[in-house]
Amino acid sequence: MLNLERLRTLDALARFGSVGGAAEDLHVTTSAVSQQLAKLEREVGQQLLAKNGRGVRLTDAGRLLADHAAKILSQVELAQSDIEAQRGEVVGEVQLAGFPTAARGLFPATLVSLRADHPELRVRTTELEPEAGIRAVIRGDVDLAVVLDWSNKRLPVPGGLTKAELLDDAPDIAMPAGHPLADRTEVGLEDFADDDWISWPEGEFCHDWLMFTLRSKGIEPRIAHLAGEHHTQLALIAAGVGVCVAPRLGRGVVPDGVRLVPVRQKMRRHVHAVWRTDADRRPSIRAAVAALRAAGRSLDAPVNGDGGG
């Protein structure tokens, strides 16, 4: 009898191409991955891995079993979905991930709604950036991730995942109240070609988007500061050290000394929910998506001052 966790380990190795990648994906040590794969080789009586320089590669038998492993794991997910769907009740546990402003702007209302409508459903949440959220859904660490992309830069969603639109988020430009453009009714990104920018950390999807967007307008951005939290970015702007793109979702209270001006370009963050297609029939997934959409519809974010969206 093949062990399901060992098949999951082989599947991770096939997807990430290395023992280290599989270990990171599964949140275990490289030694644990190697031990699981060695036990799996003994179970099937064939060599599944071969040395490849400093790393390893799958043998023909390894690739064959990895293909079956992916199908088996998908069938297990389908079985769990069918059992939940057959009961027709929103019960059990659902694990949600979201990028920080979605966690702040959507999760509180979503949790209140799910607790009121489905008291037997346990909901767990965590913060993950969009690409990490998608990886967590693929490997089964979370059931659903709230992710984002931009109107001019889409986030790739791998096959086997389903995506549902939740809301569109309109960004503004945040600047010190004394900035020459602070009294404008709208601005363009090109108006800030000579300003210092405050951006998200390098490697994050929104940082890559900002660099791509400014460079597409012929602007080589001067990135002066990096901060992952929007509240930190706005605090830096209140200190007068730069400008930033400030989405409205999860914004909260705007500090004194900061002016937010809408962008005249039709620039939007698209916020989506993503889950495994083979879990599509789970009532808990459907309930979570409905609650997230309702939370999105309830948002009414002003440009300046307090904002919930």
Side-chain angles (χ1 to χ4, degrees), residues 170-177 181-186 234 237 246-248 251-262 300-309:
D172 305 307
I173 300 296
M175 66 195 80
L181 303 180
D183 293 331
R184 295 275 186 93
T185 57
E186 60 179 16
L234 294 178
I237 288 168
R248 298 178 188 180
R251 177 179 292 166
V253 178
V254 177
D256 292 338
V258 175
R259 173 68 179 166
L260 294 158
V261 181
D300 182 17
V303 175
N304 288 282
D306 292 350

PDB file of all heavy atoms in Angstrom, residues 170-177 181-186 234 237 246-248 251-262 300-309:
ATOM      1  N   ALA A 170      -9.419  50.740  -6.318  1.00  0.00           N
ATOM      2  CA  ALA A 170      -8.846  51.904  -6.992  1.00  0.00           C
ATOM      3  C   ALA A 170      -7.737  52.515  -6.143  1.00  0.00           C
ATOM      4  O   ALA A 170      -7.970  52.861  -4.985  1.00  0.00           O
ATOM      5  CB  ALA A 170      -9.928  52.947  -7.254  1.00  0.00           C
ATOM      6  N   PRO A 171      -6.530  52.667  -6.679  1.00  0.00           N
ATOM      7  CA  PRO A 171      -5.444  53.262  -5.892  1.00  0.00           C
ATOM      8  C   PRO A 171      -5.389  54.779  -6.056  1.00  0.00           C
ATOM      9  O   PRO A 171      -5.898  55.354  -7.019  1.00  0.00           O
ATOM     10  CB  PRO A 171      -4.206  52.610  -6.495  1.00  0.00           C
ATOM     11  CG  PRO A 171      -4.573  52.435  -7.938  1.00  0.00           C
ATOM     12  CD  PRO A 171      -6.060  52.166  -7.981  1.00  0.00           C
ATOM     13  N   ASP A 172      -4.779  55.417  -5.093  1.00  0.00           N
ATOM     14  CA  ASP A 172      -4.490  56.843  -5.149  1.00  0.00           C
ATOM     15  C   ASP A 172      -2.986  57.029  -5.034  1.00  0.00           C
ATOM     16  O   ASP A 172      -2.257  56.082  -4.739  1.00  0.00           O
ATOM     17  CB  ASP A 172      -5.188  57.577  -3.999  1.00  0.00           C
ATOM     18  CG  ASP A 172      -6.684  57.331  -3.972  1.00  0.00           C
ATOM     19  OD1 ASP A 172      -7.327  57.547  -5.011  1.00  0.00           O
ATOM     20  OD2 ASP A 172      -7.200  56.893  -2.928  1.00  0.00           O
ATOM     21  N   ILE A 173      -2.548  58.243  -5.260  1.00  0.00           N
ATOM     22  CA  ILE A 173      -1.162  58.591  -4.973  1.00  0.00           C
ATOM     23  C   ILE A 173      -1.130  59.333  -3.649  1.00  0.00           C
ATOM     24  O   ILE A 173      -1.852  60.318  -3.456  1.00  0.00           O
ATOM     25  CB  ILE A 173      -0.545  59.458  -6.085  1.00  0.00           C
ATOM     26  CG1 ILE A 173      -0.567  58.730  -7.419  1.00  0.00           C
ATOM     27  CG2 ILE A 173       0.897  59.838  -5.717  1.00  0.00           C
ATOM     28  CD1 ILE A 173       0.262  57.475  -7.463  1.00  0.00           C
ATOM     29  N   ALA A 174      -0.319  58.837  -2.736  1.00  0.00           N
ATOM     30  CA  ALA A 174      -0.146  59.483  -1.433  1.00  0.00           C
ATOM     31  C   ALA A 174       1.095  60.356  -1.476  1.00  0.00           C
ATOM     32  O   ALA A 174       2.148  59.931  -1.958  1.00  0.00           O
ATOM     33  CB  ALA A 174      -0.025  58.444  -0.331  1.00  0.00           C
ATOM     34  N   MET A 175       0.958  61.578  -0.976  1.00  0.00           N
ATOM     35  CA  MET A 175       2.069  62.541  -0.991  1.00  0.00           C
ATOM     36  C   MET A 175       1.981  63.419   0.246  1.00  0.00           C
ATOM     37  O   MET A 175       0.911  63.512   0.878  1.00  0.00           O
ATOM     38  CB  MET A 175       2.012  63.389  -2.264  1.00  0.00           C
ATOM     39  CG  MET A 175       0.799  64.307  -2.338  1.00  0.00           C
ATOM     40  SD  MET A 175       0.505  64.980  -4.008  1.00  0.00           S
ATOM     41  CE  MET A 175      -0.324  63.567  -4.758  1.00  0.00           C
ATOM     42  N   PRO A 176       3.076  64.075   0.624  1.00  0.00           N
ATOM     43  CA  PRO A 176       3.000  65.016   1.740  1.00  0.00           C
ATOM     44  C   PRO A 176       2.017  66.140   1.431  1.00  0.00           C
ATOM     45  O   PRO A 176       1.860  66.548   0.269  1.00  0.00           O
ATOM     46  CB  PRO A 176       4.437  65.543   1.866  1.00  0.00           C
ATOM     47  CG  PRO A 176       5.286  64.487   1.217  1.00  0.00           C
ATOM     48  CD  PRO A 176       4.456  63.932   0.105  1.00  0.00           C
ATOM     49  N   ALA A 177       1.341  66.631   2.459  1.00  0.00           N
ATOM     50  CA  ALA A 177       0.338  67.682   2.254  1.00  0.00           C
ATOM     51  C   ALA A 177       0.943  68.932   1.620  1.00  0.00           C
ATOM     52  O   ALA A 177       0.233  69.682   0.947  1.00  0.00           O
ATOM     53  CB  ALA A 177      -0.312  68.026   3.591  1.00  0.00           C
ATOM     54  N   LEU A 181       1.643  69.110  -5.892  1.00  0.00           N
ATOM     55  CA  LEU A 181       0.469  68.544  -6.559  1.00  0.00           C
ATOM     56  C   LEU A 181      -0.633  68.145  -5.571  1.00  0.00           C
ATOM     57  O   LEU A 181      -1.637  67.545  -5.977  1.00  0.00           O
ATOM     58  CB  LEU A 181       0.869  67.315  -7.380  1.00  0.00           C
ATOM     59  CG  LEU A 181       1.958  67.526  -8.441  1.00  0.00           C
ATOM     60  CD1 LEU A 181       2.248  66.222  -9.186  1.00  0.00           C
ATOM     61  CD2 LEU A 181       1.541  68.612  -9.423  1.00  0.00           C
ATOM     62  N   ALA A 182      -0.460  68.504  -4.310  1.00  0.00           N
ATOM     63  CA  ALA A 182      -1.399  68.026  -3.282  1.00  0.00           C
ATOM     64  C   ALA A 182      -2.802  68.573  -3.456  1.00  0.00           C
ATOM     65  O   ALA A 182      -3.768  67.973  -2.972  1.00  0.00           O
ATOM     66  CB  ALA A 182      -0.870  68.375  -1.894  1.00  0.00           C
ATOM     67  N   ASP A 183      -2.960  69.695  -4.143  1.00  0.00           N
ATOM     68  CA  ASP A 183      -4.289  70.285  -4.309  1.00  0.00           C
ATOM     69  C   ASP A 183      -4.968  69.864  -5.614  1.00  0.00           C
ATOM     70  O   ASP A 183      -6.075  70.321  -5.898  1.00  0.00           O
ATOM     71  CB  ASP A 183      -4.191  71.819  -4.262  1.00  0.00           C
ATOM     72  CG  ASP A 183      -3.793  72.317  -2.878  1.00  0.00           C
ATOM     73  OD1 ASP A 183      -4.129  71.630  -1.898  1.00  0.00           O
ATOM     74  OD2 ASP A 183      -3.147  73.374  -2.794  1.00  0.00           O
ATOM     75  N   ARG A 184      -4.320  69.004  -6.384  1.00  0.00           N
ATOM     76  CA  ARG A 184      -4.935  68.538  -7.634  1.00  0.00           C
ATOM     77  C   ARG A 184      -6.131  67.636  -7.336  1.00  0.00           C
ATOM     78  O   ARG A 184      -6.201  66.980  -6.291  1.00  0.00           O
ATOM     79  CB  ARG A 184      -3.921  67.753  -8.459  1.00  0.00           C
ATOM     80  CG  ARG A 184      -2.723  68.573  -8.954  1.00  0.00           C
ATOM     81  CD  ARG A 184      -3.034  69.285 -10.246  1.00  0.00           C
ATOM     82  NE  ARG A 184      -1.838  69.940 -10.784  1.00  0.00           N
ATOM     83  CZ  ARG A 184      -1.015  69.369 -11.670  1.00  0.00           C
ATOM     84  NH1 ARG A 184      -1.262  68.138 -12.091  1.00  0.00           N
ATOM     85  NH2 ARG A 184       0.032  70.027 -12.121  1.00  0.00           N
ATOM     86  N   THR A 185      -7.083  67.588  -8.274  1.00  0.00           N
ATOM     87  CA  THR A 185      -8.210  66.662  -8.136  1.00  0.00           C
ATOM     88  C   THR A 185      -7.853  65.273  -8.660  1.00  0.00           C
ATOM     89  O   THR A 185      -8.475  64.282  -8.282  1.00  0.00           O
ATOM     90  CB  THR A 185      -9.434  67.186  -8.893  1.00  0.00           C
ATOM     91  OG1 THR A 185      -9.079  67.395 -10.275  1.00  0.00           O
ATOM     92  CG2 THR A 185      -9.917  68.500  -8.281  1.00  0.00           C
ATOM     93  N   GLU A 186      -6.842  65.195  -9.529  1.00  0.00           N
ATOM     94  CA  GLU A 186      -6.330  63.914  -9.994  1.00  0.00           C
ATOM     95  C   GLU A 186      -4.918  64.127 -10.524  1.00  0.00           C
ATOM     96  O   GLU A 186      -4.530  65.243 -10.869  1.00  0.00           O
ATOM     97  CB  GLU A 186      -7.231  63.295 -11.074  1.00  0.00           C
ATOM     98  CG  GLU A 186      -7.387  64.143 -12.323  1.00  0.00           C
ATOM     99  CD  GLU A 186      -8.264  63.474 -13.361  1.00  0.00           C
ATOM    100  OE1 GLU A 186      -8.987  62.529 -13.010  1.00  0.00           O
ATOM    101  OE2 GLU A 186      -8.215  63.886 -14.536  1.00  0.00           O
ATOM    102  N   LEU A 234       2.645  55.224   4.608  1.00  0.00           N
ATOM    103  CA  LEU A 234       1.987  56.508   4.848  1.00  0.00           C
ATOM    104  C   LEU A 234       2.681  57.298   5.954  1.00  0.00           C
ATOM    105  O   LEU A 234       2.747  58.534   5.901  1.00  0.00           O
ATOM    106  CB  LEU A 234       0.518  56.280   5.197  1.00  0.00           C
ATOM    107  CG  LEU A 234      -0.351  55.708   4.066  1.00  0.00           C
ATOM    108  CD1 LEU A 234      -1.780  55.485   4.551  1.00  0.00           C
ATOM    109  CD2 LEU A 234      -0.343  56.618   2.842  1.00  0.00           C
ATOM    110  N   ILE A 237       5.535  59.018   4.390  1.00  0.00           N
ATOM    111  CA  ILE A 237       5.085  60.154   3.588  1.00  0.00           C
ATOM    112  C   ILE A 237       4.720  61.331   4.496  1.00  0.00           C
ATOM    113  O   ILE A 237       5.004  62.489   4.174  1.00  0.00           O
ATOM    114  CB  ILE A 237       3.907  59.736   2.698  1.00  0.00           C
ATOM    115  CG1 ILE A 237       4.440  58.826   1.589  1.00  0.00           C
ATOM    116  CG2 ILE A 237       3.191  60.938   2.105  1.00  0.00           C
ATOM    117  CD1 ILE A 237       3.400  58.119   0.803  1.00  0.00           C
ATOM    118  N   ALA A 246      -1.183  54.229  -3.101  1.00  0.00           N
ATOM    119  CA  ALA A 246      -1.917  53.858  -1.888  1.00  0.00           C
ATOM    120  C   ALA A 246      -3.274  53.277  -2.265  1.00  0.00           C
ATOM    121  O   ALA A 246      -4.237  54.028  -2.458  1.00  0.00           O
ATOM    122  CB  ALA A 246      -2.092  55.071  -0.981  1.00  0.00           C
ATOM    123  N   PRO A 247      -3.385  51.948  -2.389  1.00  0.00           N
ATOM    124  CA  PRO A 247      -4.697  51.343  -2.632  1.00  0.00           C
ATOM    125  C   PRO A 247      -5.657  51.638  -1.481  1.00  0.00           C
ATOM    126  O   PRO A 247      -5.233  51.918  -0.348  1.00  0.00           O
ATOM    127  CB  PRO A 247      -4.377  49.848  -2.728  1.00  0.00           C
ATOM    128  CG  PRO A 247      -2.932  49.798  -3.116  1.00  0.00           C
ATOM    129  CD  PRO A 247      -2.317  50.961  -2.402  1.00  0.00           C
ATOM    130  N   ARG A 248      -6.951  51.577  -1.760  1.00  0.00           N
ATOM    131  CA  ARG A 248      -7.943  51.943  -0.751  1.00  0.00           C
ATOM    132  C   ARG A 248      -8.334  50.780   0.151  1.00  0.00           C
ATOM    133  O   ARG A 248      -8.787  50.992   1.268  1.00  0.00           O
ATOM    134  CB  ARG A 248      -9.184  52.518  -1.445  1.00  0.00           C
ATOM    135  CG  ARG A 248      -8.864  53.779  -2.229  1.00  0.00           C
ATOM    136  CD  ARG A 248     -10.061  54.353  -2.957  1.00  0.00           C
ATOM    137  NE  ARG A 248      -9.647  55.438  -3.837  1.00  0.00           N
ATOM    138  CZ  ARG A 248     -10.474  56.137  -4.613  1.00  0.00           C
ATOM    139  NH1 ARG A 248     -11.760  55.827  -4.623  1.00  0.00           N
ATOM    140  NH2 ARG A 248     -10.014  57.102  -5.373  1.00  0.00           N
ATOM    141  N   ARG A 251      -7.273  50.496   4.050  1.00  0.00           N
ATOM    142  CA  ARG A 251      -6.429  51.673   4.291  1.00  0.00           C
ATOM    143  C   ARG A 251      -6.479  52.136   5.741  1.00  0.00           C
ATOM    144  O   ARG A 251      -5.464  52.447   6.345  1.00  0.00           O
ATOM    145  CB  ARG A 251      -6.848  52.806   3.353  1.00  0.00           C
ATOM    146  CG  ARG A 251      -6.074  54.099   3.591  1.00  0.00           C
ATOM    147  CD  ARG A 251      -6.512  55.179   2.626  1.00  0.00           C
ATOM    148  NE  ARG A 251      -6.113  54.855   1.274  1.00  0.00           N
ATOM    149  CZ  ARG A 251      -6.582  55.471   0.197  1.00  0.00           C
ATOM    150  NH1 ARG A 251      -7.497  56.416   0.325  1.00  0.00           N
ATOM    151  NH2 ARG A 251      -6.153  55.125  -1.001  1.00  0.00           N
ATOM    152  N   GLY A 252      -7.643  52.266   6.308  1.00  0.00           N
ATOM    153  CA  GLY A 252      -7.742  52.762   7.674  1.00  0.00           C
ATOM    154  C   GLY A 252      -7.552  54.269   7.745  1.00  0.00           C
ATOM    155  O   GLY A 252      -7.810  55.002   6.788  1.00  0.00           O
ATOM    156  N   VAL A 253      -7.086  54.752   8.891  1.00  0.00           N
ATOM    157  CA  VAL A 253      -6.946  56.186   9.128  1.00  0.00           C
ATOM    158  C   VAL A 253      -5.712  56.720   8.409  1.00  0.00           C
ATOM    159  O   VAL A 253      -4.633  56.142   8.484  1.00  0.00           O
ATOM    160  CB  VAL A 253      -6.839  56.474  10.644  1.00  0.00           C
ATOM    161  CG1 VAL A 253      -6.644  57.964  10.898  1.00  0.00           C
ATOM    162  CG2 VAL A 253      -8.092  55.972  11.350  1.00  0.00           C
ATOM    163  N   VAL A 254      -5.890  57.819   7.688  1.00  0.00           N
ATOM    164  CA  VAL A 254      -4.777  58.457   6.988  1.00  0.00           C
ATOM    165  C   VAL A 254      -4.095  59.432   7.940  1.00  0.00           C
ATOM    166  O   VAL A 254      -4.751  60.277   8.552  1.00  0.00           O
ATOM    167  CB  VAL A 254      -5.282  59.200   5.737  1.00  0.00           C
ATOM    168  CG1 VAL A 254      -4.134  59.926   5.041  1.00  0.00           C
ATOM    169  CG2 VAL A 254      -5.958  58.223   4.781  1.00  0.00           C
ATOM    170  N   PRO A 255      -2.779  59.340   8.104  1.00  0.00           N
ATOM    171  CA  PRO A 255      -2.088  60.229   9.049  1.00  0.00           C
ATOM    172  C   PRO A 255      -2.205  61.693   8.656  1.00  0.00           C
ATOM    173  O   PRO A 255      -2.357  62.040   7.478  1.00  0.00           O
ATOM    174  CB  PRO A 255      -0.627  59.763   8.966  1.00  0.00           C
ATOM    175  CG  PRO A 255      -0.674  58.404   8.359  1.00  0.00           C
ATOM    176  CD  PRO A 255      -1.870  58.383   7.462  1.00  0.00           C
ATOM    177  N   ASP A 256      -2.139  62.566   9.655  1.00  0.00           N
ATOM    178  CA  ASP A 256      -2.052  63.996   9.374  1.00  0.00           C
ATOM    179  C   ASP A 256      -0.816  64.260   8.525  1.00  0.00           C
ATOM    180  O   ASP A 256       0.219  63.626   8.705  1.00  0.00           O
ATOM    181  CB  ASP A 256      -1.957  64.783  10.682  1.00  0.00           C
ATOM    182  CG  ASP A 256      -3.244  64.717  11.493  1.00  0.00           C
ATOM    183  OD1 ASP A 256      -4.308  64.450  10.895  1.00  0.00           O
ATOM    184  OD2 ASP A 256      -3.162  64.929  12.722  1.00  0.00           O
ATOM    185  N   GLY A 257      -0.952  65.209   7.626  1.00  0.00           N
ATOM    186  CA  GLY A 257       0.192  65.567   6.790  1.00  0.00           C
ATOM    187  C   GLY A 257       0.299  64.768   5.519  1.00  0.00           C
ATOM    188  O   GLY A 257       1.263  64.940   4.761  1.00  0.00           O
ATOM    189  N   VAL A 258      -0.676  63.872   5.251  1.00  0.00           N
ATOM    190  CA  VAL A 258      -0.675  63.076   4.029  1.00  0.00           C
ATOM    191  C   VAL A 258      -1.878  63.456   3.185  1.00  0.00           C
ATOM    192  O   VAL A 258      -3.002  63.558   3.692  1.00  0.00           O
ATOM    193  CB  VAL A 258      -0.721  61.560   4.339  1.00  0.00           C
ATOM    194  CG1 VAL A 258      -0.855  60.754   3.053  1.00  0.00           C
ATOM    195  CG2 VAL A 258       0.524  61.143   5.099  1.00  0.00           C
ATOM    196  N   ARG A 259      -1.638  63.661   1.911  1.00  0.00           N
ATOM    197  CA  ARG A 259      -2.719  63.957   0.960  1.00  0.00           C
ATOM    198  C   ARG A 259      -2.812  62.817  -0.037  1.00  0.00           C
ATOM    199  O   ARG A 259      -1.790  62.350  -0.553  1.00  0.00           O
ATOM    200  CB  ARG A 259      -2.416  65.273   0.231  1.00  0.00           C
ATOM    201  CG  ARG A 259      -3.360  65.615  -0.895  1.00  0.00           C
ATOM    202  CD  ARG A 259      -4.755  65.934  -0.403  1.00  0.00           C
ATOM    203  NE  ARG A 259      -5.632  66.277  -1.527  1.00  0.00           N
ATOM    204  CZ  ARG A 259      -6.962  66.348  -1.444  1.00  0.00           C
ATOM    205  NH1 ARG A 259      -7.550  66.108  -0.282  1.00  0.00           N
ATOM    206  NH2 ARG A 259      -7.678  66.679  -2.494  1.00  0.00           N
ATOM    207  N   LEU A 260      -4.038  62.345  -0.288  1.00  0.00           N
ATOM    208  CA  LEU A 260      -4.289  61.274  -1.245  1.00  0.00           C
ATOM    209  C   LEU A 260      -5.061  61.831  -2.427  1.00  0.00           C
ATOM    210  O   LEU A 260      -6.117  62.452  -2.253  1.00  0.00           O
ATOM    211  CB  LEU A 260      -5.087  60.149  -0.579  1.00  0.00           C
ATOM    212  CG  LEU A 260      -4.337  59.417   0.532  1.00  0.00           C
ATOM    213  CD1 LEU A 260      -5.308  58.730   1.471  1.00  0.00           C
ATOM    214  CD2 LEU A 260      -3.391  58.396  -0.063  1.00  0.00           C
ATOM    215  N   VAL A 261      -4.527  61.610  -3.625  1.00  0.00           N
ATOM    216  CA  VAL A 261      -5.136  62.150  -4.838  1.00  0.00           C
ATOM    217  C   VAL A 261      -5.380  61.005  -5.818  1.00  0.00           C
ATOM    218  O   VAL A 261      -4.475  60.198  -6.066  1.00  0.00           O
ATOM    219  CB  VAL A 261      -4.232  63.225  -5.489  1.00  0.00           C
ATOM    220  CG1 VAL A 261      -4.900  63.807  -6.737  1.00  0.00           C
ATOM    221  CG2 VAL A 261      -3.916  64.333  -4.482  1.00  0.00           C
ATOM    222  N   PRO A 262      -6.599  60.895  -6.367  1.00  0.00           N
ATOM    223  CA  PRO A 262      -6.889  59.812  -7.325  1.00  0.00           C
ATOM    224  C   PRO A 262      -5.993  59.881  -8.555  1.00  0.00           C
ATOM    225  O   PRO A 262      -5.543  60.952  -8.974  1.00  0.00           O
ATOM    226  CB  PRO A 262      -8.360  60.057  -7.703  1.00  0.00           C
ATOM    227  CG  PRO A 262      -8.922  60.846  -6.564  1.00  0.00           C
ATOM    228  CD  PRO A 262      -7.788  61.702  -6.073  1.00  0.00           C
ATOM    229  N   ASP A 300     -16.731  51.051   1.279  1.00  0.00           N
ATOM    230  CA  ASP A 300     -16.942  52.394   0.715  1.00  0.00           C
ATOM    231  C   ASP A 300     -15.776  53.236   1.184  1.00  0.00           C
ATOM    232  O   ASP A 300     -15.812  53.816   2.269  1.00  0.00           O
ATOM    233  CB  ASP A 300     -18.272  52.980   1.176  1.00  0.00           C
ATOM    234  CG  ASP A 300     -18.534  54.352   0.573  1.00  0.00           C
ATOM    235  OD1 ASP A 300     -17.877  54.699  -0.422  1.00  0.00           O
ATOM    236  OD2 ASP A 300     -19.388  55.065   1.107  1.00  0.00           O
ATOM    237  N   ALA A 301     -14.724  53.285   0.372  1.00  0.00           N
ATOM    238  CA  ALA A 301     -13.469  53.906   0.816  1.00  0.00           C
ATOM    239  C   ALA A 301     -13.371  55.327   0.307  1.00  0.00           C
ATOM    240  O   ALA A 301     -13.244  55.561  -0.888  1.00  0.00           O
ATOM    241  CB  ALA A 301     -12.287  53.104   0.324  1.00  0.00           C
ATOM    242  N   PRO A 302     -13.413  56.343   1.181  1.00  0.00           N
ATOM    243  CA  PRO A 302     -13.154  57.713   0.750  1.00  0.00           C
ATOM    244  C   PRO A 302     -11.678  57.890   0.395  1.00  0.00           C
ATOM    245  O   PRO A 302     -10.848  57.093   0.800  1.00  0.00           O
ATOM    246  CB  PRO A 302     -13.522  58.538   1.969  1.00  0.00           C
ATOM    247  CG  PRO A 302     -13.302  57.622   3.123  1.00  0.00           C
ATOM    248  CD  PRO A 302     -13.629  56.238   2.626  1.00  0.00           C
ATOM    249  N   VAL A 303     -11.395  58.948  -0.341  1.00  0.00           N
ATOM    250  CA  VAL A 303     -10.010  59.181  -0.738  1.00  0.00           C
ATOM    251  C   VAL A 303      -9.160  59.577   0.458  1.00  0.00           C
ATOM    252  O   VAL A 303      -8.095  59.073   0.690  1.00  0.00           O
ATOM    253  CB  VAL A 303      -9.943  60.237  -1.850  1.00  0.00           C
ATOM    254  CG1 VAL A 303      -8.489  60.579  -2.182  1.00  0.00           C
ATOM    255  CG2 VAL A 303     -10.662  59.746  -3.091  1.00  0.00           C
ATOM    256  N   ASN A 304      -9.632  60.533   1.268  1.00  0.00           N
ATOM    257  CA  ASN A 304      -8.887  60.972   2.452  1.00  0.00           C
ATOM    258  C   ASN A 304      -9.710  60.708   3.709  1.00  0.00           C
ATOM    259  O   ASN A 304     -10.937  60.675   3.675  1.00  0.00           O
ATOM    260  CB  ASN A 304      -8.547  62.455   2.354  1.00  0.00           C
ATOM    261  CG  ASN A 304      -7.478  62.710   1.312  1.00  0.00           C
ATOM    262  OD1 ASN A 304      -6.328  62.487   1.564  1.00  0.00           O
ATOM    263  ND2 ASN A 304      -7.867  63.169   0.131  1.00  0.00           N
ATOM    264  N   GLY A 305      -9.021  60.515   4.825  1.00  0.00           N
ATOM    265  CA  GLY A 305      -9.702  60.239   6.066  1.00  0.00           C
ATOM    266  C   GLY A 305      -9.844  58.762   6.317  1.00  0.00           C
ATOM    267  O   GLY A 305      -9.136  57.963   5.745  1.00  0.00           O
ATOM    268  N   ASP A 306     -10.798  58.413   7.188  1.00  0.00           N
ATOM    269  CA  ASP A 306     -10.982  57.011   7.518  1.00  0.00           C
ATOM    270  C   ASP A 306     -11.462  56.254   6.305  1.00  0.00           C
ATOM    271  O   ASP A 306     -12.284  56.737   5.545  1.00  0.00           O
ATOM    272  CB  ASP A 306     -12.012  56.852   8.640  1.00  0.00           C
ATOM    273  CG  ASP A 306     -11.493  57.411   9.950  1.00  0.00           C
ATOM    274  OD1 ASP A 306     -10.304  57.721   9.995  1.00  0.00           O
ATOM    275  OD2 ASP A 306     -12.292  57.536  10.901  1.00  0.00           O
ATOM    276  N   GLY A 307     -10.993  55.023   6.152  1.00  0.00           N
ATOM    277  CA  GLY A 307     -11.449  54.215   5.030  1.00  0.00           C
ATOM    278  C   GLY A 307     -11.472  52.773   5.413  1.00  0.00           C
ATOM    279  O   GLY A 307     -10.582  52.283   6.078  1.00  0.00           O
ATOM    280  N   GLY A 308     -12.480  52.040   4.967  1.00  0.00           N
ATOM    281  CA  GLY A 308     -12.543  50.609   5.254  1.00  0.00           C
ATOM    282  C   GLY A 308     -12.202  49.786   4.086  1.00  0.00           C
ATOM    283  O   GLY A 308     -12.235  48.565   4.152  1.00  0.00           O
ATOM    284  N   GLY A 309     -11.875  50.352   2.904  1.00  0.00           N
ATOM    285  CA  GLY A 309     -11.649  49.519   1.752  1.00  0.00           C
ATOM    286  C   GLY A 309     -10.510  49.997   0.927  1.00  0.00           C
ATOM    287  O   GLY A 309      -9.880  50.973   1.192  1.00  0.00           O
TER     288      GLY A 309
END
